[in-house]
């Protein structure tokens, strides 16, 4: 794969798995998130679903910040499997599931995104469709 700052449609292959990095579930951040966005959620249950989504969104945005991705068209099929506790290290990965060229200048990439806990168990998954510029 090319330098992550120059990832275009042609640089991604169906079946390719790309690490999105990792982030720890921070207790103070979780407490503040619950206070502001999930009142009534018991922190003993772990991070609420909306925070899990925010953690994935952060990892995905940081990884693709310099890519030639012009627009995310959809985030579908969200699955929340478990709520990680404070202190848990959460890892993200993206798997390219399909590609569809759209003319000479762009193409659509379909990807499966997963968040995994330290033991490799699934926490969250979703499908995205994004428009990428072609070289």
């Amino acid at each position: 794969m090319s330098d992550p700052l120059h990832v275009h449609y042609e640089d991604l292959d169906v079946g390719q798995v790309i690490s999105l990095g990792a982030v720890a579930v921070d207790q103070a951040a979780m407490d503040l998130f619950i206070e502001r966005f999930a009142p009534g959620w018991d922190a003993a249950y772990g991070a609420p679903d909306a925070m899990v989504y925010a953690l994935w969104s952060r990892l995905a945005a940081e990884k693709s910040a310099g890519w030639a991705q012009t627009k995310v068209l959809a985030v579908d099929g969200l699955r929340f499997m478990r709520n990680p506790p404070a202190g848990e290290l959460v890892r993200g990965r993206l798997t390219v599931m399909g590609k569809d060229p759209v003319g000479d200048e762009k193409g659509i990439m379909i990807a499966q995104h997963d968040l995994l806990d330290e033991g490799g168990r699934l926490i969250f998954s979703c499908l995205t469709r994004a428009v990428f510029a072609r070289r």
Side-chain angles (χ1 to χ4, degrees):
M1 179 170 59
S2 300
D3 180 338
L5 296 177
H6 302 98
V7 175
H8 287 75
Y9 177 81
E10 294 84 358
D11 300 324
L12 300 166
D13 297 315
V14 174
Q16 183 175 359
V17 178
I18 300 168
S19 171
L20 297 178
V23 63
V25 179
D26 179 80
Q27 181 70 57
M30 185 169 73
D31 292 341
L32 185 60
F33 188 94
I34 290 169
E35 176 187 321
R36 296 206 175 151
F37 302 108
W41 178 267
D42 186 343
Y45 294 135
D49 291 349
M51 184 175 179
V52 170
Y53 181 90
L55 292 170
W56 162 75
S57 183
R58 173 182 162 193
L59 290 175
E62 288 174 355
K63 183 66 175 187
S64 65
W67 291 4
Q69 177 177 290
T70 59
K71 184 174 187 169
V72 176
L73 300 172
V75 179
D76 298 320
L78 281 70
R79 302 285 186 264
F80 295 91
M81 303 304 291
R82 60 183 293 269
N83 302 91
E88 178 112 44
L89 186 66
V90 176
R91 295 179 298 112
R93 70 178 177 205
L94 173 157
T95 304
V96 178
M97 303 299 287
K99 293 173 59 175
D100 188 19
V102 180
D104 294 332
E105 297 180 11
K106 59 187 170 183
I108 295 174
M109 186 203 40
I110 302 166
Q112 169 79 35
H113 294 254
D114 299 311
L115 283 184
L116 306 168
D117 67 13
E118 294 172 12
R121 295 174 297 178
L122 186 63
I123 293 171
F124 167 82
S125 70
C126 67
L127 291 171
T128 61
R129 287 165 189 75
V131 178
F132 275 75
R134 295 178 75 177
R135 292 190 187 275

